[in-house]
């Protein structure tokens, strides 16, 4: 068997049998509205139900695990994933050759989206949302004050704001548009640490006071600080590139 | 071997060998900036390079095919995918149990994002962008006038506008936030067909005249028409649900 032959057996473009089986299992999950509490039916049950061999079911399941529709829990079996079909870096940003330009383009989108999100958050947050937001804010502060990398928890703070909107999609968009936060924090060597603490606090208090306008304004300033510093750093780096060593 | 054992062999949470191999191949692609013109090195080359067996390479490749990082071209071998890592329905919207609420929440985001996108498009479009936008607009019109389902080409028109911005991310976000267009077109039974033709034309001409303000306004009206009708239909459907049969 040559390499080509081996790869041929995978073929997704023409929907191979495992691929079609994956699609059928996926439809089953959607139709029966299975959640992460639910265990996937056994291999043999699925094989009988879908009229294919157990080997094909196994291959189909692997595809769905790779796409984060299913997950394996050790010693427990195969379950529906908590956010089925949602994967990290869903737009393949890691493969973008110009990460600096990507970071700049993302911050433009954040500047447009997030002040609006903050306003909606202030308008729709309930008491439990505020409690979680306050907790998330304090986790970022602890990171910063302990000089740990706060980028992961920083993204989670912005997701917590997005959850206050009670819009189904906004919390899923935030991790996408904040993709470059990690790069940003490393580029700026945390020069904005105190501004971040103050900025986050202002946003938190405005949302907690249910003051949409103030929340929008505070988020605008927060993102604008980030954008301006990123712009400065990127210009400097591109200049150095032009000048040579 | 029990079902559990079989599924155990897939385990991704703890990063199995195929999973780690997939990550290494993926890193290779990023570091060498391989594009869709590039063929993946052969199974045996990769096996030697990464110090694992060919079977493991094969499993790792399958994972990357499932994630749309690699693709199999019939009779040609394994290549980098055109948009590596980018998959359709990346946020798993198909698994959302309340598709009507999803559609409403998406249209809120479109209303916030797309007028801004239209303005940016008018400000940054070059002659070739405008040519492609004009072509895309006419494809939608032909669909509508021939009473074909125009939802797919409608999304592509909005993507064509997004491309005019020259922002790397905006064109990738549009297919996400327009996910519900297909549902919308089927719910409205194309009641907005003429409004769509007129609305798209207005947006096109404003962008073509490089008039950012007019483009923003035209897009605002276009989305608002959609939102209002969707709201009406969803309210009616939810009312019927409450009333019972």
């Amino acid at each position: 068997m040559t390499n080509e032959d081996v790869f041929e057996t995978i073929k997704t473009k023409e929907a191979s049998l495992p691929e079609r089986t994956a699609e059928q299992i996926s439809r089953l999950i959607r139709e029966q509205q299975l959640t992460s509490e639910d265990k996937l039916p056994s291999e043999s049950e699925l094989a009988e139900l879908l009229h294919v061999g157990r080997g094909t079911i196994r291959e189909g399941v692997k595809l769905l695990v790779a796409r984060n529709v299913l997950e394996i829990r050790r010693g427990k079996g195969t379950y529906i994933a908590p956010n089925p079909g949602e994967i990290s870096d869903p737009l393949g940003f890691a493969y973008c050759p110009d990460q600096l330009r990507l970071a700049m383009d993302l911050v433009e989108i954040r500047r447009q989206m997030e002040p609006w999100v903050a306003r909606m958050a202030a308008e729709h947050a309930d008491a439990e949302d505020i409690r979680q937001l306050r907790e998330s804010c304090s986790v970022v502060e602890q990171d910063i004050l302990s000089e740990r990398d706060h980028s992961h928890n920083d993204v989670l703070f912005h997701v917590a704001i997005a959850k206050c909107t009670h819009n189904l999609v906004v919390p899923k968009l935030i991790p996408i548009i904040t993709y470059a936060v990690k790069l940003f924090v490393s580029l700026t060597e945390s020069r904005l640490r105190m501004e971040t603490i103050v900025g986050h606090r202002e946003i938190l208090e405005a949302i907690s006071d249910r003051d949409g306008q103030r929340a929008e304004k505070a988020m605008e300033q927060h993102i604008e600080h980030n954008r301006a510093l990123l712009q400065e750093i990127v210009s400097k780096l591109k200049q150095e590139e032009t000048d040579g060593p």
Side-chain angles (χ1 to χ4, degrees), chain A residues 25 40 46 56-66 70 78:
Chain A
I25 297 172
L40 189 71
L46 287 171
T56 307
I57 296 292
R58 205 170 306 151
E59 291 296 311
V61 166
K62 280 188 194 183
L63 288 173
L64 293 174
V65 169
L70 297 175
T78 307

Side-chain angles (χ1 to χ4, degrees), chain A residues 11-189:
Chain A
K11 56 179 181 271
T12 54
K13 287 278 146 165
E14 298 211 336
S16 62
L17 188 55
E19 189 64 42
R20 290 201 304 273
T21 304
E23 181 43 45
Q24 284 178 306
I25 297 172
S26 158
R27 197 177 312 142
L28 197 80
I29 294 166
R30 294 196 301 265
E31 282 171 1
Q32 305 198 358
Q33 305 200 354
L34 301 181
T35 72
S36 59
E37 306 296 305
D38 296 308
K39 195 168 173 173
L40 189 71
S42 78
E43 241 179 48
S44 34
E45 285 176 275
L46 287 171
E48 201 170 312
L49 192 67
L50 304 177
H51 308 290
V52 294
R54 285 178 46 172
T56 307
I57 296 292
R58 205 170 306 151
E59 291 296 311
V61 166
K62 280 188 194 183
L63 288 173
L64 293 174
V65 169
R67 287 171 194 153
N68 196 33
V69 172
L70 297 175
E71 69 176 25
I72 314 296
R73 301 194 190 149
R74 281 209 72 133
K76 290 188 169 175
T78 307
Y79 284 77
I80 316 308
N83 295 300
E86 200 175 328
I87 59 174
S88 63
D89 191 20
L91 299 181
F93 287 153
Y95 301 92
C96 173
D98 190 343
Q99 292 284 312
L100 288 178
R101 186 177 154 206
L102 176 67
M104 285 301 298
D105 285 0
L106 281 166
V107 87
E108 288 298 332
I109 295 171
R110 293 190 65 189
R111 188 155 65 149
Q112 174 60 22
M113 281 284 289
E114 292 199 59
W116 169 71
V117 171
R119 177 159 50 82
M120 297 248 298
E123 288 167 3
H124 296 99
D126 59 32
E128 174 57 18
D129 293 329
I130 305 282
R131 200 193 57 72
Q132 292 195 7
L133 188 59
R134 202 170 283 285
E135 194 176 303
S136 174
C137 183
S138 122
V139 170
V140 178
E141 287 186 10
Q142 284 159 31
D143 273 354
I144 292 179
L145 296 174
S146 320
E147 309 204 348
R148 287 191 296 266
D149 178 350
H150 64 281
S151 50
H152 179 68
N153 287 322
D154 197 309
V155 169
L156 293 184
F157 175 69
H158 288 268
V159 171
I161 296 171
K163 283 185 179 157
C164 298
T165 67
H166 292 234
N167 180 300
L168 288 173
V169 180
V170 171
K172 293 174 188 269
L173 283 182
I174 297 297
I176 297 180
I177 63 177
T178 55
Y179 171 85
V181 164
K182 208 176 171 58
L183 175 66
F184 177 73
V185 168
S186 101
L187 281 176
T188 57
E189 292 160 342

Side-chain angles (χ1 to χ4, degrees), chain A residues 206-229:
Chain A
I207 294 175
S208 164
D209 292 347
R210 313 296 200 274
D211 186 336
Q213 231 178 340
R214 214 173 92 221
E216 182 172 353
K217 198 89 202 148
M219 181 66 89
E220 236 169 66
Q221 283 179 351
H222 177 54
I223 307 272
E224 179 51 28
H225 269 133
N226 287 320
R227 199 202 58 78
L229 181 56

